[in-house]
Amino acid sequence: MVATLRSRCVFLGAPGAGKGTQAKKVAEGARLAHISTGDMLRAQVAAGTALGLEAKGYMDAGKLVPDQLIIAMVKARIAEPDAAHAWILDGFPRTLAQAEALDKSLSGASALSHVIAFAVPEAVLVGRLSGRRTCGSCGAIWHIESNPTRVAGVCDACGGALVHRSDDRPEAITKRLEVYRSQTAPLLAYYRDRGLLREVDANRPPEVVFQELLQRMR
Ligand SMILES: [Zn+2]
Protein backbone atom coordinates (compact mmCIF):
# COMPACT_ATOMS: atom_id res chain seq x y z
CA MET A 1 0.00 0.00 0.00
CA VAL A 2 1.32 3.39 -1.00
CA ALA A 3 0.50 6.52 0.97
CA THR A 4 -1.29 9.38 -0.78
CA LEU A 5 1.22 11.91 -2.07
CA ARG A 6 0.45 15.61 -2.23
CA SER A 7 2.95 16.44 -4.95
CA ARG A 8 2.42 18.73 -7.88
CA CYS A 9 5.19 17.59 -10.08
CA VAL A 10 6.63 17.43 -13.55
CA PHE A 11 8.19 14.23 -14.90
CA LEU A 12 10.97 15.34 -17.22
CA GLY A 13 12.98 13.11 -19.53
CA ALA A 14 13.67 12.17 -23.12
CA PRO A 15 11.18 10.10 -25.12
CA GLY A 16 11.54 6.48 -23.99
CA ALA A 17 12.83 7.37 -20.51
CA GLY A 18 9.82 5.67 -18.92
CA LYS A 19 8.03 8.79 -17.67
CA GLY A 20 4.60 7.78 -18.96
CA THR A 21 4.63 4.26 -17.55
CA GLN A 22 5.90 5.46 -14.16
CA ALA A 23 3.54 8.43 -14.04
CA LYS A 24 0.56 6.13 -14.58
CA LYS A 25 1.72 3.74 -11.86
CA VAL A 26 2.59 6.43 -9.30
CA ALA A 27 -0.66 8.29 -9.98
CA GLU A 28 -2.74 5.16 -9.41
CA GLY A 29 -0.81 4.05 -6.32
CA ALA A 30 -0.52 7.42 -4.61
CA ARG A 31 -3.80 8.98 -5.79
CA LEU A 32 -2.58 11.82 -7.94
CA ALA A 33 -4.07 13.00 -11.23
CA HIS A 34 -1.97 11.79 -14.17
CA ILE A 35 -1.92 14.56 -16.75
CA SER A 36 -0.41 13.19 -19.94
CA THR A 37 -0.40 15.76 -22.70
CA GLY A 38 0.40 13.01 -25.24
CA ASP A 39 -2.68 11.00 -24.21
CA MET A 40 -4.83 14.14 -24.21
CA LEU A 41 -3.65 15.09 -27.69
CA ARG A 42 -4.14 11.57 -29.04
CA ALA A 43 -7.69 11.61 -27.65
CA GLN A 44 -8.31 14.87 -29.52
CA VAL A 45 -6.85 13.36 -32.70
CA ALA A 46 -9.04 10.24 -32.35
CA ALA A 47 -12.12 12.41 -31.78
CA GLY A 48 -11.25 14.45 -34.88
CA THR A 49 -11.53 17.83 -33.12
CA ALA A 50 -10.04 20.96 -34.65
CA LEU A 51 -7.25 20.85 -32.07
CA GLY A 52 -6.67 17.19 -32.87
CA LEU A 53 -6.36 17.78 -36.60
CA GLU A 54 -3.93 20.64 -36.07
CA ALA A 55 -1.85 18.63 -33.58
CA LYS A 56 -1.70 15.50 -35.75
CA GLY A 57 0.41 17.12 -38.45
CA TYR A 58 3.08 18.07 -35.91
CA MET A 59 3.03 14.73 -34.07
CA ASP A 60 3.31 12.64 -37.25
CA ALA A 61 6.46 14.57 -38.17
CA GLY A 62 7.95 14.06 -34.68
CA LYS A 63 7.69 17.79 -33.99
CA LEU A 64 6.39 19.58 -30.91
CA VAL A 65 2.82 20.82 -30.94
CA PRO A 66 2.89 24.66 -30.59
CA ASP A 67 3.03 26.04 -27.05
CA GLN A 68 -0.25 27.95 -27.04
CA LEU A 69 -2.26 24.85 -27.94
CA ILE A 70 -0.71 22.73 -25.19
CA ILE A 71 -0.76 25.45 -22.52
CA ALA A 72 -4.49 26.08 -22.91
CA MET A 73 -5.20 22.35 -22.75
CA VAL A 74 -3.07 21.83 -19.60
CA LYS A 75 -4.51 24.83 -17.77
CA ALA A 76 -8.04 23.56 -18.36
CA ARG A 77 -7.05 20.09 -17.12
CA ILE A 78 -5.41 21.33 -13.89
CA ALA A 79 -8.61 23.26 -13.11
CA GLU A 80 -10.66 20.04 -12.95
CA PRO A 81 -11.67 18.79 -9.46
CA ASP A 82 -9.58 15.58 -9.42
CA ALA A 83 -6.43 17.65 -9.95
CA ALA A 84 -7.13 20.09 -7.11
CA HIS A 85 -4.32 18.97 -4.81
CA ALA A 86 -1.90 16.66 -6.52
CA TRP A 87 -0.88 15.81 -10.04
CA ILE A 88 1.90 14.58 -12.27
CA LEU A 89 2.51 16.42 -15.52
CA ASP A 90 3.83 13.93 -18.08
CA GLY A 91 5.05 15.33 -21.41
CA PHE A 92 4.76 18.97 -20.42
CA PRO A 93 6.51 21.41 -20.24
CA ARG A 94 8.85 20.62 -23.13
CA THR A 95 10.21 24.10 -23.84
CA LEU A 96 11.41 27.02 -21.73
CA ALA A 97 8.43 29.05 -22.95
CA GLN A 98 6.07 26.34 -21.72
CA ALA A 99 7.85 26.15 -18.34
CA GLU A 100 7.58 29.92 -17.89
CA ALA A 101 3.89 29.86 -18.87
CA LEU A 102 3.29 27.05 -16.38
CA ASP A 103 4.99 29.03 -13.59
CA LYS A 104 2.77 32.02 -14.35
CA SER A 105 -0.42 29.97 -14.31
CA LEU A 106 0.39 28.28 -10.98
CA SER A 107 1.01 30.07 -7.71
CA GLY A 108 0.94 29.65 -3.93
CA ALA A 109 -0.66 26.35 -2.89
CA SER A 110 -0.83 25.16 -6.49
CA ALA A 111 2.83 25.88 -7.39
CA LEU A 112 5.09 23.08 -8.57
CA SER A 113 6.56 21.07 -5.69
CA HIS A 114 8.98 18.76 -7.54
CA VAL A 115 10.51 18.14 -10.92
CA ILE A 116 11.71 14.58 -11.41
CA ALA A 117 14.34 14.14 -14.14
CA PHE A 118 14.60 10.63 -15.66
CA ALA A 119 18.20 9.95 -16.73
CA VAL A 120 18.71 7.27 -19.44
CA PRO A 121 21.58 6.92 -22.01
CA GLU A 122 20.50 7.76 -25.56
CA ALA A 123 21.34 4.32 -27.04
CA VAL A 124 18.99 2.75 -24.50
CA LEU A 125 16.25 5.22 -25.43
CA VAL A 126 16.44 4.29 -29.12
CA GLY A 127 16.06 0.58 -28.32
CA ARG A 128 13.13 1.21 -26.03
CA LEU A 129 11.27 3.43 -28.50
CA SER A 130 11.76 1.39 -31.65
CA GLY A 131 10.40 -1.77 -30.01
CA ARG A 132 7.46 -0.10 -28.32
CA ARG A 133 3.92 -1.11 -29.27
CA THR A 134 0.80 0.58 -27.92
CA CYS A 135 -2.65 -0.95 -27.53
CA GLY A 136 -5.08 0.89 -29.76
CA SER A 137 -7.96 0.09 -27.40
CA CYS A 138 -6.78 0.53 -23.78
CA GLY A 139 -3.50 2.41 -24.25
CA ALA A 140 -1.32 -0.25 -22.57
CA ILE A 141 2.33 -0.05 -23.60
CA TRP A 142 4.34 -3.15 -24.56
CA HIS A 143 7.78 -3.87 -25.99
CA ILE A 144 8.58 -6.53 -28.58
CA GLU A 145 11.65 -7.68 -26.59
CA SER A 146 11.53 -6.52 -22.99
CA ASN A 147 7.77 -6.72 -22.39
CA PRO A 148 6.11 -8.78 -25.14
CA THR A 149 2.47 -9.80 -25.25
CA ARG A 150 1.59 -13.53 -25.18
CA VAL A 151 0.33 -13.30 -28.78
CA ALA A 152 2.27 -10.94 -31.06
CA GLY A 153 0.22 -7.88 -31.96
CA VAL A 154 -2.56 -8.55 -29.44
CA CYS A 155 -2.90 -6.75 -26.08
CA ASP A 156 -2.76 -9.10 -23.05
CA ALA A 157 -4.90 -6.71 -21.02
CA CYS A 158 -7.87 -6.24 -23.35
CA GLY A 159 -7.37 -8.24 -26.57
CA GLY A 160 -7.06 -5.03 -28.60
CA ALA A 161 -4.76 -4.70 -31.61
CA LEU A 162 -1.29 -3.25 -30.97
CA VAL A 163 -0.08 -0.34 -33.07
CA HIS A 164 3.41 0.90 -33.87
CA ARG A 165 2.80 4.59 -33.28
CA SER A 166 4.00 6.85 -36.07
CA ASP A 167 6.18 8.76 -33.59
CA ASP A 168 7.90 5.50 -32.50
CA ARG A 169 9.20 4.84 -36.04
CA PRO A 170 12.95 5.33 -36.70
CA GLU A 171 12.84 8.65 -38.57
CA ALA A 172 10.52 10.18 -35.97
CA ILE A 173 12.63 8.83 -33.07
CA THR A 174 15.76 10.55 -34.38
CA LYS A 175 13.82 13.79 -34.73
CA ARG A 176 12.25 13.49 -31.27
CA LEU A 177 15.63 12.99 -29.60
CA GLU A 178 17.06 16.01 -31.44
CA VAL A 179 14.09 18.11 -30.35
CA TYR A 180 14.56 16.89 -26.77
CA ARG A 181 18.25 17.84 -26.72
CA SER A 182 17.71 21.30 -28.17
CA GLN A 183 14.40 22.33 -26.59
CA THR A 184 13.67 20.27 -23.48
CA ALA A 185 17.09 19.48 -21.96
CA PRO A 186 17.60 23.20 -21.07
CA LEU A 187 14.73 22.77 -18.57
CA LEU A 188 17.05 20.73 -16.33
CA ALA A 189 19.08 23.87 -15.56
CA TYR A 190 15.93 25.99 -15.32
CA TYR A 191 14.46 23.79 -12.59
CA ARG A 192 17.82 23.12 -10.90
CA ASP A 193 18.23 26.89 -10.46
CA ARG A 194 14.81 26.97 -8.77
CA GLY A 195 15.72 24.19 -6.34
CA LEU A 196 13.01 21.84 -7.69
CA LEU A 197 15.04 19.27 -9.63
CA ARG A 198 15.47 15.69 -8.40
CA GLU A 199 17.36 13.36 -10.74
CA VAL A 200 16.58 9.64 -10.91
CA ASP A 201 18.66 6.99 -12.68
CA ALA A 202 15.92 5.51 -14.89
CA ASN A 203 18.17 2.95 -16.62
CA ARG A 204 17.18 0.34 -14.03
CA PRO A 205 14.28 -2.12 -13.69
CA PRO A 206 10.88 -0.35 -13.57
CA GLU A 207 10.08 -1.58 -10.04
CA VAL A 208 13.36 -0.15 -8.68
CA VAL A 209 12.67 3.19 -10.36
CA PHE A 210 9.09 3.17 -9.03
CA GLN A 211 10.21 2.68 -5.43
CA GLU A 212 12.76 5.46 -5.72
CA LEU A 213 10.14 7.82 -7.17
CA LEU A 214 7.87 7.27 -4.17
CA GLN A 215 10.74 8.25 -1.89
CA ARG A 216 11.87 11.24 -3.93
CA MET A 217 8.35 12.69 -4.31
CA ARG A 218 7.71 13.07 -0.60
ZN1 LIG B 1 -5.34 -3.14 -24.49
Short mmCIF file of all heavy atoms in Angstrom, two decimals, residues 70-97:
data_model
loop_
_atom_site.label_atom_id
_atom_site.label_comp_id
_atom_site.label_asym_id
_atom_site.label_seq_id
_atom_site.Cartn_x
_atom_site.Cartn_y
_atom_site.Cartn_z
N ILE A 70 -0.93 23.61 -26.34
CA ILE A 70 -0.71 22.73 -25.19
C ILE A 70 -1.02 23.46 -23.88
O ILE A 70 -1.63 22.89 -22.98
CB ILE A 70 0.77 22.28 -25.13
CG1 ILE A 70 1.18 21.63 -26.43
CG2 ILE A 70 1.00 21.36 -23.96
CD1 ILE A 70 0.75 20.22 -26.56
N ILE A 71 -0.58 24.70 -23.77
CA ILE A 71 -0.76 25.45 -22.52
C ILE A 71 -2.24 25.59 -22.18
O ILE A 71 -2.66 25.36 -21.04
CB ILE A 71 -0.06 26.82 -22.62
CG1 ILE A 71 1.46 26.61 -22.58
CG2 ILE A 71 -0.49 27.74 -21.47
CD1 ILE A 71 2.27 27.81 -23.02
N ALA A 72 -3.06 25.92 -23.17
CA ALA A 72 -4.49 26.08 -22.91
C ALA A 72 -5.10 24.75 -22.46
O ALA A 72 -5.92 24.71 -21.53
CB ALA A 72 -5.19 26.58 -24.18
N MET A 73 -4.66 23.67 -23.09
CA MET A 73 -5.20 22.35 -22.75
C MET A 73 -4.81 21.96 -21.32
O MET A 73 -5.64 21.45 -20.55
CB MET A 73 -4.64 21.34 -23.77
CG MET A 73 -5.31 20.02 -23.78
SD MET A 73 -4.63 18.98 -25.13
CE MET A 73 -3.05 18.55 -24.44
N VAL A 74 -3.55 22.20 -20.94
CA VAL A 74 -3.07 21.83 -19.60
C VAL A 74 -3.73 22.68 -18.52
O VAL A 74 -4.15 22.15 -17.48
CB VAL A 74 -1.53 21.96 -19.52
CG1 VAL A 74 -1.04 21.87 -18.09
CG2 VAL A 74 -0.87 20.88 -20.37
N LYS A 75 -3.88 23.96 -18.77
CA LYS A 75 -4.51 24.83 -17.77
C LYS A 75 -5.94 24.38 -17.49
O LYS A 75 -6.38 24.35 -16.33
CB LYS A 75 -4.48 26.29 -18.23
CG LYS A 75 -3.11 26.92 -18.05
CD LYS A 75 -3.01 28.25 -18.74
CE LYS A 75 -3.40 29.40 -17.85
NZ LYS A 75 -3.02 30.69 -18.46
N ALA A 76 -6.65 24.02 -18.53
CA ALA A 76 -8.04 23.56 -18.36
C ALA A 76 -8.06 22.25 -17.56
O ALA A 76 -8.91 22.05 -16.69
CB ALA A 76 -8.69 23.35 -19.72
N ARG A 77 -7.08 21.39 -17.81
CA ARG A 77 -7.05 20.09 -17.12
C ARG A 77 -6.74 20.24 -15.63
O ARG A 77 -7.34 19.58 -14.78
CB ARG A 77 -6.01 19.19 -17.80
CG ARG A 77 -5.86 17.81 -17.18
CD ARG A 77 -7.13 16.97 -17.33
NE ARG A 77 -7.03 15.71 -16.61
CZ ARG A 77 -7.36 15.56 -15.32
NH1 ARG A 77 -7.80 16.58 -14.62
NH2 ARG A 77 -7.23 14.39 -14.73
N ILE A 78 -5.79 21.13 -15.29
CA ILE A 78 -5.41 21.33 -13.89
C ILE A 78 -6.56 21.95 -13.10
O ILE A 78 -6.66 21.78 -11.88
CB ILE A 78 -4.11 22.19 -13.80
CG1 ILE A 78 -2.91 21.35 -14.19
CG2 ILE A 78 -3.91 22.75 -12.39
CD1 ILE A 78 -1.59 22.09 -14.20
N ALA A 79 -7.46 22.62 -13.78
CA ALA A 79 -8.61 23.26 -13.11
C ALA A 79 -9.72 22.26 -12.76
O ALA A 79 -10.66 22.61 -12.05
CB ALA A 79 -9.16 24.37 -13.99
N GLU A 80 -9.60 21.03 -13.25
CA GLU A 80 -10.66 20.04 -12.95
C GLU A 80 -10.52 19.54 -11.51
O GLU A 80 -9.43 19.52 -10.95
CB GLU A 80 -10.57 18.88 -13.95
CG GLU A 80 -11.03 19.31 -15.35
CD GLU A 80 -10.87 18.22 -16.40
OE1 GLU A 80 -10.83 17.03 -16.04
OE2 GLU A 80 -10.76 18.59 -17.59
N PRO A 81 -11.66 19.12 -10.90
CA PRO A 81 -11.67 18.79 -9.46
C PRO A 81 -10.68 17.70 -9.03
O PRO A 81 -10.07 17.81 -7.96
CB PRO A 81 -13.11 18.30 -9.22
CG PRO A 81 -13.91 18.87 -10.34
CD PRO A 81 -13.00 19.02 -11.50
N ASP A 82 -10.47 16.67 -9.85
CA ASP A 82 -9.58 15.58 -9.42
C ASP A 82 -8.13 16.02 -9.37
O ASP A 82 -7.28 15.32 -8.83
CB ASP A 82 -9.74 14.37 -10.35
CG ASP A 82 -9.14 14.62 -11.72
OD1 ASP A 82 -9.50 15.64 -12.34
OD2 ASP A 82 -8.31 13.82 -12.17
N ALA A 83 -7.82 17.17 -9.95
CA ALA A 83 -6.43 17.65 -9.95
C ALA A 83 -6.24 18.81 -8.96
O ALA A 83 -5.26 19.54 -9.02
CB ALA A 83 -6.05 18.10 -11.36
N ALA A 84 -7.17 18.94 -8.02
CA ALA A 84 -7.13 20.09 -7.11
C ALA A 84 -5.87 20.13 -6.24
O ALA A 84 -5.33 21.19 -5.98
CB ALA A 84 -8.37 20.10 -6.22
N HIS A 85 -5.41 18.97 -5.79
CA HIS A 85 -4.32 18.97 -4.81
C HIS A 85 -3.01 18.36 -5.30
O HIS A 85 -1.95 18.72 -4.82
CB HIS A 85 -4.75 18.22 -3.55
CG HIS A 85 -5.97 18.79 -2.93
ND1 HIS A 85 -5.99 20.05 -2.37
CD2 HIS A 85 -7.23 18.30 -2.81
CE1 HIS A 85 -7.21 20.31 -1.93
NE2 HIS A 85 -7.98 19.27 -2.18
N ALA A 86 -3.12 17.40 -6.18
CA ALA A 86 -1.90 16.66 -6.52
C ALA A 86 -1.98 16.12 -7.93
O ALA A 86 -3.01 15.59 -8.34
CB ALA A 86 -1.74 15.49 -5.54
N TRP A 87 -0.89 16.28 -8.65
CA TRP A 87 -0.88 15.81 -10.04
C TRP A 87 0.55 15.57 -10.50
O TRP A 87 1.52 16.08 -9.91
CB TRP A 87 -1.56 16.78 -10.99
CG TRP A 87 -1.42 18.25 -10.67
CD1 TRP A 87 -2.34 19.04 -10.03
CD2 TRP A 87 -0.30 19.11 -10.96
NE1 TRP A 87 -1.86 20.32 -9.91
CE2 TRP A 87 -0.63 20.39 -10.47
CE3 TRP A 87 0.93 18.91 -11.59
CZ2 TRP A 87 0.25 21.48 -10.60
CZ3 TRP A 87 1.81 19.99 -11.70
CH2 TRP A 87 1.45 21.26 -11.21
N ILE A 88 0.63 14.78 -11.57
CA ILE A 88 1.90 14.58 -12.27
C ILE A 88 1.70 15.06 -13.70
O ILE A 88 0.78 14.60 -14.38
CB ILE A 88 2.30 13.10 -12.32
CG1 ILE A 88 2.48 12.54 -10.92
CG2 ILE A 88 3.58 12.92 -13.16
CD1 ILE A 88 2.63 11.02 -10.90
N LEU A 89 2.53 15.99 -14.13
CA LEU A 89 2.51 16.42 -15.52
C LEU A 89 3.51 15.55 -16.29
O LEU A 89 4.70 15.52 -15.95
CB LEU A 89 2.93 17.88 -15.63
CG LEU A 89 1.83 18.92 -15.49
CD1 LEU A 89 2.47 20.31 -15.53
CD2 LEU A 89 0.81 18.77 -16.60
N ASP A 90 3.02 14.88 -17.32
CA ASP A 90 3.83 13.93 -18.08
C ASP A 90 3.83 14.39 -19.54
O ASP A 90 2.80 14.37 -20.18
CB ASP A 90 3.18 12.54 -17.89
CG ASP A 90 3.59 11.51 -18.91
OD1 ASP A 90 4.62 11.68 -19.57
OD2 ASP A 90 2.86 10.50 -19.02
N GLY A 91 4.98 14.85 -20.02
CA GLY A 91 5.05 15.33 -21.41
C GLY A 91 4.93 16.84 -21.54
O GLY A 91 4.90 17.36 -22.65
N PHE A 92 4.88 17.52 -20.43
CA PHE A 92 4.76 18.97 -20.42
C PHE A 92 5.35 19.50 -19.12
O PHE A 92 5.10 18.88 -18.08
CB PHE A 92 3.29 19.37 -20.51
CG PHE A 92 3.05 20.86 -20.46
CD1 PHE A 92 2.95 21.60 -21.61
CD2 PHE A 92 2.94 21.51 -19.23
CE1 PHE A 92 2.75 22.98 -21.56
CE2 PHE A 92 2.75 22.89 -19.17
CZ PHE A 92 2.65 23.61 -20.34
N PRO A 93 6.10 20.60 -19.08
CA PRO A 93 6.51 21.41 -20.24
C PRO A 93 7.66 20.77 -21.02
O PRO A 93 8.43 19.99 -20.46
CB PRO A 93 6.97 22.72 -19.59
CG PRO A 93 7.46 22.31 -18.24
CD PRO A 93 6.59 21.16 -17.81
N ARG A 94 7.77 21.13 -22.29
CA ARG A 94 8.85 20.62 -23.13
C ARG A 94 9.73 21.73 -23.67
O ARG A 94 10.69 21.46 -24.41
CB ARG A 94 8.29 19.85 -24.33
CG ARG A 94 7.66 18.56 -23.91
CD ARG A 94 7.48 17.66 -25.09
NE ARG A 94 6.69 16.50 -24.73
CZ ARG A 94 6.50 15.46 -25.50
NH1 ARG A 94 7.05 15.45 -26.71
NH2 ARG A 94 5.77 14.45 -25.11
N THR A 95 9.39 22.97 -23.39
CA THR A 95 10.21 24.10 -23.84
C THR A 95 10.29 25.11 -22.69
O THR A 95 9.45 25.10 -21.77
CB THR A 95 9.57 24.82 -25.04
OG1 THR A 95 8.32 25.38 -24.63
CG2 THR A 95 9.34 23.87 -26.22
N LEU A 96 11.30 25.98 -22.75
CA LEU A 96 11.41 27.02 -21.73
C LEU A 96 10.17 27.91 -21.71
O LEU A 96 9.69 28.29 -20.65
CB LEU A 96 12.66 27.88 -21.97
CG LEU A 96 13.97 27.31 -21.42
CD1 LEU A 96 15.14 28.18 -21.87
CD2 LEU A 96 13.94 27.19 -19.90
N ALA A 97 9.63 28.21 -22.89
CA ALA A 97 8.43 29.05 -22.95
C ALA A 97 7.26 28.38 -22.23
O ALA A 97 6.50 29.04 -21.52
CB ALA A 97 8.06 29.35 -24.40
#
